[in-house]
Amino acid sequence: LVPRAPIVTVMGHVDHGKTSLLDYIRKTNVIAGEAGGITQHIGAYNVTLESGRHITFLDTPGHEAFTAMRARGAQVTDIAIIIIAADDDIMPQTKEAINHAMAAGVPIVFAINKVDKPAANPDKIKEGLAAMNFLVEDWGGKYQSQVLLEAEMLDLKANPNRKATGSIIESSLDKGRGYVATVLVSNGTLHVGDIVLAGTNYGRVKAMFNERNQRVKEIGPAQAATILGLNGAPTAGDTFHVMDTEQEAREITNKREQLQREQ
C-alpha cells in the first residue's frame, strides 16, 4: 500500500459559492463555461498543492434533480466540505447534503463562505449548526469550520499495482466519440486497453482524457479520467472493475441484464 490523494466532495446549497471556492483552489475559472454559472455535471479535478501533494475534488451540482447522483457521490469520498453562505441560512439542500455525508459516514468540514458581505452573520450559521447537533471547533465541538483538509489524519492508502476498481461519476453518449464515461479510480491503476465492466456495460478502454482534455495512458488511485470504449452508458455511481477477458465481462453483463429484466 502507498499513500494516495484524498477525495474531497464539495456540497451545499445552489449559489452558496461551491464552484467559486473550487476555482480559487484551481486558479482557473470554470464558472464562465457553465450555463448561467450553475454547475451542470459532476466534475472531478485533481489539484497539486505547493508541497507536491495531490487532492482530488468532486464538485457536485446543487440542484434537487441531482439528489440521486449526490446520494451516490457522497459514498466515493473521504472528506465532505459543506459550504454555507454566511449571508444566508442553512437551506434544506444544505441539510440534505449533511445527511448524505452523515449516512455515508464521511468526515465533514463546514466552510462558511461569503463572510465579507455586509449582511454576513457567521455566528448565526454556527448557531444553526449547533441546533442540529453539529458544534464547530471554536464552539468547543469536533467539526472544522475552515477549509483545512485533515487528510493526513485519515492516512489514506491504496495499492497501485493491481487491477483498477472505482466508481462511474457520469456517462453520456457523445455524437463523435460514442459512449463517454468519467471514472474515479479508488484502488489499482487503470490503463488504456483494459477491459472495464460497469453495471450492465463493458468495453475495452480505447482512450483516456484528464479534466483538461489531454490524453493520458494510465490513472492511479484517487485520480479521475474520461474513458472511451464502453458499449453503453453506465449509471452514475456504479462501481467498475477491470476484467481479464472480454468474454468474462460479456458473461457478467448478460447475467446482470437478465437480473434487471427479472426485477
Side-chain angles (χ1 to χ4, degrees):
L1 293 178
V2 296
R4 67 167 175 83
I7 300 166
V8 178
T9 303
V10 182
M11 301 199 278
H13 188 69
V14 62
D15 201 26
H16 274 199
K18 295 189 290 295
T19 312
S20 321
L21 176 81
L22 280 169
D23 281 345
Y24 181 75
I25 292 169
R26 289 182 319 167
K27 302 277 195 291
T28 59
N29 190 1
V30 174
I31 297 182
E34 299 283 2
I38 292 173
T39 310
Q40 300 296 351
H41 57 264
I42 293 191
Y45 315 103
N46 199 314
V47 178
T48 309
L49 303 175
E50 286 171 6
S51 62
R53 292 177 55 224
H54 291 269
I55 301 175
T56 299
F57 283 96
L58 288 186
D59 178 13
T60 64
H63 276 316
E64 313 238 341
F66 292 104
T67 305
M69 244 157 66
R70 259 222 325 258
R72 303 183 85 163
Q75 284 146 17
V76 181
T77 58
D78 305 310
I79 298 173
I81 295 181
I82 311 271
I83 290 214
I84 311 166
D87 62 343
D88 205 348
D89 216 342
I90 298 174
M91 297 304 215
Q93 261 187 338
T94 316
K95 289 181 181 161
E96 188 186 33
I98 293 172
N99 293 339
H100 280 323
M102 289 302 286
V106 177
I108 301 177
V109 174
F110 291 107
I112 299 176
N113 203 11
K114 304 192 184 183
V115 287
D116 51 350
K117 289 218 168 165
N121 185 352
D123 280 344
K124 181 179 142 201
I125 301 291
K126 292 176 184 177
E127 202 175 311
L129 288 172
M132 292 167 61
N133 281 332
F134 292 100
L135 273 180
V136 296
E137 263 192 353
D138 48 350
W139 279 32
K142 63 171 183 174
Y143 292 96
Q144 297 280 342
S145 63
Q146 72 278 353
V147 184
L148 175 88
L149 301 174
E150 301 205 345
E152 283 163 15
M153 305 285 291
L154 294 171
D155 197 25
L156 304 164
K157 290 199 160 69
N159 174 9
N161 305 316
R162 49 162 285 180
K163 290 199 195 87
T165 79
S167 308
I168 303 286
I169 295 172
E170 59 178 352
S171 61
S172 61
L173 177 56
D174 187 301
K175 276 199 187 103
R177 305 191 291 177
Y179 289 103
V180 179
T182 305
V183 298
L184 180 65
V185 176
S186 54
N187 208 350
T189 304
L190 182 65
H191 308 84
V192 172
D194 281 350
I195 294 152
V196 169
L197 165 73
T200 53
N201 303 106
Y202 71 95
R204 190 180 287 274
V205 179
K206 285 195 283 213
M208 286 202 286
F209 300 92
N210 65 13
E211 70 264 29
R212 288 179 294 285
N213 226 2
Q214 299 158 328
R215 272 180 179 260
V216 286
K217 287 270 196 319
E218 56 179 49
I219 53 166
Q223 289 182 317
T226 305
I227 63 170
L228 308 183
L230 292 179
N231 66 353
T235 319
D238 277 349
T239 47
F240 76 82
H241 297 276
V242 170
M243 307 310 273
D244 286 327
T245 61
E246 230 164 290
Q247 185 193 352
E248 193 182 3
R250 194 178 304 121
E251 281 168 11
I252 296 176
T253 48
N254 288 344
K255 271 187 206 150
R256 285 180 179 176
E257 276 173 352
Q258 197 178 340
L259 280 168
Q260 267 191 358
R261 282 196 296 272
E262 284 168 11
Q263 278 172 357

